[in-house]
Amino acid sequence: MPNFKTLDDLPADLTGKVALVRVDLNLPMQGGSASDLTRVEAIKPTVLELSEKGAKVLMLAHFGRPGGARHSALSTSMVVGDVEGVLGKELMFIPEVAGPVVEQSIGILRPGDIGLLDNVRFWPGEEANDPNFAQSIAAHGDFYVNDAFSAAHRAHATTEGLAHHLPAYAGRSMERELTALDSALGNPETPVAAVVGGAKVSTKLDVLQNLVGKVQHLIIGGGMANTFLAARGVDVGKSLAEHDLIETASKIMDEADHSGCTVHLPYDVVVAKEFAANPASLRTCNVHEVAGDEMILDIGPLATEALADVLKTCRTLVWNGPLGAFETEPFDTATMALARHAAALTQEGSLISVAGGGDTVAALAQAGVTGDVTYISTAGGAFLEWMEGKELPGVAALSA
């Protein structure tokens, strides 16, 4: 577990102190307002706690990819209304990140007030992690709080650099994320199962290679499973598979054998001749009976039941990626069934379940179990890099 300070390490009275808080406000927009406020909900506890303690809170965030130049459509002013709605407080928008305009704005803010600085990526120094740029921002603050785990895999000025110029703390969302991830892979209760799904093995190679040495059960689903089945000599018909990675898949299975990790692949599958909702050619068969003109689109009921039995023997579950083509019925059946089973085990206290990644979050919502698993990470790239066993610069800087 990285050793980091949290808001509990700050004085109870922060009256007049300036808190520079890195948040994630990179919100999906539709018709001029945010279509999903999950990221704002995540930072609310940190921002309001600092405000209630009397700090002047200055939020730092990126919005889109302006590439080091100003774009009016990518100003963080676009999300002010949405953020105010969630926080229930008025924001002062500050069109700079450093310099006299920021200094004047801090003078106008009263203790407990909240300001939002403009898109940090308007300045090339942000993505270059320029120490002078970080220093120019740090000059306005008394301390730095990072509450943007989703940007922690980037070594940028406001995600990593500021921690070298000011006392640094993890915000409540960051703290929850790091605690949950530590309980999932850092220092987990064993046995541990990992569900890794998705279309391509190539995008999850590092994840698989890291996990075989850390978990006792590796459950492979989605299009990735077809590549592993092919590596075991199964004819997968016209299923999505990366035949050039068969040797790599074999090596991963060998490594799993050596480290005492059981790799679970489906032995019955749901196939069809075309990928469409409820196709006429839909059938369930043994993996060795897939015809040349059929594609595997989900795992079958027997395999799903066997995986449910595996989870009953485990204490910890890490989940990234669906088991089948879950966006299209009925190829969501296995993912929905296993998600509900994992949620039930979590609710009865026998399983710690941590899930992350866009498709996984969507699948758990579709299964209606979002509130029933231990923790859901909304961070895409950072969650994946953590599963790959990589050090995240934004996290490492907090424990420096």
Side-chain angles (χ1 to χ4, degrees):
M1 181 76 171
N3 182 25
F4 56 90
K5 289 183 175 152
T6 70
L7 301 191
D8 296 332
D9 296 295
L10 282 163
D13 183 9
L14 296 170
T15 302
K17 297 287 185 201
V18 178
L20 295 175
V21 187
R22 181 56 159 97
V23 293
D24 185 353
L25 296 178
N26 197 20
L27 310 179
M29 305 295 281
Q30 260 175 351
S33 64
S35 54
D36 181 359
L37 295 169
T38 311
R39 287 175 165 171
V40 192
E41 294 287 355
I43 61 164
K44 183 178 176 178
T46 294
V47 174
L48 292 186
E49 183 175 336
L50 292 168
S51 164
E52 279 155 20
K53 287 182 170 180
K56 298 180 180 186
V57 183
L58 292 187
M59 294 190 288
L60 295 152
H62 72 275
F63 187 56
R65 298 181 178 221
R70 284 185 189 265
H71 288 270
S72 56
L74 294 179
S75 168
T76 52
S77 60
M78 305 288 283
V79 301
V80 167
D82 292 306
V83 177
E84 287 179 333
V86 173
L87 296 180
K89 284 180 83 89
E90 211 175 306
L91 297 188
M92 175 194 277
F93 175 69
I94 303 167
E96 297 287 338
V97 292
V101 172
V102 177
E103 202 52 54
Q104 285 162 3
S105 303
I106 291 168
I108 297 166
L109 290 171
R110 295 163 312 214
D113 282 354
I114 302 165
L116 174 61
L117 301 170
D118 214 340
N119 188 344
V120 292
R121 289 188 182 171
F122 283 175
W123 289 266
E126 166 65 2
E127 293 188 67
N129 199 2
D130 177 348
N132 294 328
F133 178 65
Q135 177 58 56
S136 70
I137 299 173
H140 299 292
D142 293 298
F143 59 94
Y144 164 69
V145 176
N146 192 344
D147 210 27
F149 175 79
S150 51
H153 58 311
R154 310 257 185 239
H156 291 172
T158 62
T159 59
E160 198 268 350
L162 283 177
H164 301 291
H165 297 281
L166 288 169
Y169 303 85
R172 294 303 182 200
S173 170
M174 174 76 89
E175 179 188 356
R176 278 188 64 225
E177 185 99 31
L178 295 180
T179 305
L181 298 188
D182 190 57
S183 69
L185 279 187
N187 191 18
E189 287 189 40
T190 55
V192 183
V195 173
V196 182
K200 295 184 168 183
V201 174
S202 50
T203 59
K204 301 272 175 90
L205 269 181
D206 291 350
V207 171
L208 296 168
Q209 279 158 344
N210 182 44
L211 290 178
V212 290
K214 290 194 167 180
V215 306
Q216 288 68 52
H217 296 277
L218 180 57
I219 296 164
I220 299 177
M224 293 170 55
N226 304 334
T227 304
F228 278 83
L229 288 169
R232 284 199 173 162
V234 173
D235 183 349
V236 295
K238 61 170 189 175
S239 307
L240 174 70
E242 291 172 288
H243 294 282
D244 56 326
L245 286 177
I246 283 176
E247 205 175 305
T248 308
S250 295
K251 267 192 203 143
I252 289 170
M253 290 190 279
D254 288 344
E255 282 168 33
D257 278 347
H258 288 307
S259 53
C261 166
T262 306
V263 175
H264 298 270
L265 292 170
Y267 40 82
D268 67 328
V269 287
V270 178
V271 298
K273 290 181 181 176
E274 66 283 351
F275 180 34
N278 302 299
S281 59
L282 183 74
R283 70 184 189 104
T284 302
C285 65
N286 182 284
V287 288
H288 296 287
E289 295 166 359
V290 179
D293 61 348
E294 290 180 318
M295 58 184 104
I296 299 169
L297 293 164
D298 200 6
I299 69 174
L302 296 175
T304 308
E305 205 171 305
L307 294 178
D309 287 340
V310 169
L311 293 192
K312 281 180 193 159
T313 70
C314 292
R315 295 287 297 138
T316 303
L317 168 67
V318 187
W319 190 325
N320 176 254
L323 298 174
F326 83 102
E327 306 92 338
T328 307
E329 290 187 346
F331 310 118
D332 60 346
T333 307
T335 304
M336 298 299 109
L338 199 65
R340 289 177 185 133
H341 184 73
L345 293 173
T346 305
Q347 287 303 301
E348 68 183 41
S350 67
L351 190 70
I352 293 162
S353 50
V354 174
D359 279 353
T360 314
V361 175
L364 295 179
Q366 201 171 309
V369 297
T370 301
D372 298 332
V373 295
T374 311
Y375 189 79
I376 292 181
S377 171
T378 53
F383 185 81
L384 211 55
E385 287 199 16
W386 166 78
M387 280 187 82
E388 291 167 0
K390 292 178 179 165
E391 184 175 74
L392 305 178
V395 174
L398 290 179
S399 50

